[in-house]
Amino acid sequence: MRLSDSVAVLHPRSPWEAMDFGMALARRHAGLLMLAWAIPAWPLLALLSLLLWESPGLALLIFWWLKPLGERLPLFILSRTLFGETPRLGESLRALPGLLRAEWLASLTQRRFNPTRSFDLPVLLLEGLAGKELWQRRAVLAACRGKRGAGWLTLVGLHLELALWLGLLAFLYLLLPAQAGVEFDWQQLLEDTPPDRLWLEHLTNGLYALVLMIWEPLYVAGGFGLYLNRRVHLEAWDLEAAFQRLRRRLGSATGILLLATGLVLAQLPGPAMAEPPASQASQTLGRQAARADIRAMLGQPPFSRREETTRWRFGDPAQVSDIESLPAVPADFVQRLAQALEVLLWLAVGSGAMLLAWRYRAWLAAFAGRRTPAARRAPPRPPGHSAPRPAASPTLPADIATQAERLWAEDPGQALALLYHGLLERLREDYQLPLSEADTEGEILRRVRRLERPELQHLAETLIRHWQNFAYGRHLPPAAVKDELLSAWRARFGSGSPA
Amino acid sequence: MSASLAKPSAGTARQPLLDTCHLVETPEGIDLVLHPAGLVPRALAFAVDLAVRGAILLLSFLVLGQFGELGLGLASLLFFLVTWWYMVLFEVLNQGRSPGKQLLGLQVVHDDGTPVGWAASLTRNLLRVVDLLPFGYTLGILSCLAHPLFKRLGDLAAGTLVVYGERPQPHPSLPEIDAQPVPFALQADERRALLAFAERRARLSVGRRQELAGILAGPLQVPEEQAEARLLGIARELMGPP
């Protein structure tokens, strides 16, 4: 074992980091380690399962109990790997019988439940001690909380195995298609396994072995990392490696030269070494010189970066002179033409803008104007939707019917308007109809119908029909209507004005 | 796998030296050394956090249970908060450390060593749901074991890293001894080794100290018994005036 051959950087670490270090080492050779664990272990489990087919639980218990023996081969491989002598799979398996022999009984009995098993195993296996010496050596390594972390590693490992095992089981269960019709009756599983379900239990045992294949090498590696770290702490392996490297370097030819100069230097009288370096007066720099120096230095890499770019561009001076040599149009004319064109273009732009503004004037008025446009304040009423109001007179005449009769001769429309107005007034006052400015004739009629007074309804219908005919179509009511309407009005409302 | 088994020693020789550090180069060209944390301390930190959360929920349910339906509503809100925001709030507001991580000396940082932010912390904690699959963090455990920087899937997605936080280092004390000139040119790692020898002197046994110093007795041209004192003198010189 030569420390300088180590494939890893050895230096004192915290216990957690030491575990991580061991696991990182195991990850480098994960395939080899897992195979080396699985090749002896899986046939063993298969054999146990065959022998104890009726009681899978017992087979698993025996397998689990033998676990410490399975940790020896991965440890052997790890210890070799650390110094760059990774054994082949065949070599490792050949070494197995020898590894198993050491203290196997103690490992399986008194130390089976030792939580720091992973830390103790390297002492036993790698240092080759036995009996009292082994016990003392362990005490030295474990002193001053030397095996701190090993117990935690075992505790975490315990839960990890369980979690991974259950995870695999859950995964398997998820893979079962719904049509398979396998229904697990958990209670039945707990109570007693029927003979046709034994394969399931053995499969479960196999899954546990699969989990162990992943975790056991890592567990061993974690313990190995702790052990290694403890020895690095106690014996300064990293310093030993560094010192050996230094000696080898100094031992080579250049090293001897360096050594010689070093010795010469060491024998020089002290003041000579302490003498200040050559006076720098000759190097005094003027401000100008310094600036020039700085500029020169900034002009060099890495302060400056020069870059050549080739690209297309307009107006090569040589070509300009070519154009000028052509039989020329008078420069003055060209100037004017250009100005005229410019004016034309600006005109085009301006008229375009005005055209746009005109095209969207409504939009501008609605959304960009500061004041509400007049059109919005009084939008034209859509015909037929709401009533054109009869010419509103602030005060209705006292006798509407007589007034209307008088008006009818010269202007039947005015008479109709008066009657309609009076009707609305009456409806509002005598019948308490909630009429509003926005009501259309149709709405007024509907309200009247709801009053369920046939005569009133008939009057309103007739009046409104003729009023509409006049208002929208300029159809004058036939003369015969006059008497009917007026008599109906008088019968309904009397001749008096509203009180 | 069989190919790597066929010629293992040739393959391992070319690999870089194994170490638990992760170097991150800053834009200024400085190498930041991060120490990614492995599965065991992380699992323990998670267990502590789980216990803390369980305690919080149990207590609050006992107290809020007294207030009937209002209490149950508040408890449900609290349950949501503790389940989904416990880790995120602690990680972002407490320099990447939930109580469990703080106890174990762990810290969550971005891949480049900067403090973890809201987005990354939310991502890595929401993806716990994936890491949990199919039962008890199976995917998370496998991912953590397989990744060189011990990342679980949430860490991979969020670009975060769980590292060991900086611990205060004890001030190194050198033995009171006269400085001696360095007899040969030393490279940086050799200087460090000499200084470390002087600093860790107290923790090494006397025999081991002499053995270590004896390695350099030849180049130093001193008898093996005096090599240790000589090395300590050189270390004092390297250290500079006290």
Side-chain angles (χ1 to χ4, degrees), chain A residues 7-9 12-13 16-17 20 27-29 32 88 166-167 232 234-235 238-240 243 246-247 249 262-263, chain B residues 6 12 16-20 35 38 134-135 138 145-148 150 164 183 185 190 200 204 208 212 215 221:
Chain A
V7 298
V9 182
R13 295 179 163 92
W16 302 127
E17 255 186 295
D20 298 344
R27 195 186 300 120
R28 271 203 181 172
H29 306 277
L32 175 65
R88 292 160 193 242
L166 289 176
V232 168
L234 278 180
E235 299 167 30
D238 50 331
L239 299 185
E240 184 179 340
F243 285 2
L246 176 60
R247 187 172 69 173
R249 184 171 70 82
L263 285 175
Chain B
T12 49
L17 283 182
L18 183 75
D19 201 357
T20 43
H35 298 269
F135 180 85
T138 305
L145 287 176
H147 195 275
F150 307 106
Y164 296 104
E190 292 158 355
R200 283 155 62 186
L204 300 173
R208 181 64 181 162
L212 283 176
I215 297 174
Q221 295 187 319

Side-chain angles (χ1 to χ4, degrees), chain A residues 81-104:
Chain A
T81 300
L82 181 65
F83 296 106
E85 304 165 8
T86 314
R88 292 160 193 242
L89 188 59
E91 292 172 44
S92 327
L93 290 176
R94 270 195 296 281
L96 184 60
L99 293 171
L100 291 184
R101 220 171 291 137
E103 293 237 338
W104 64 273

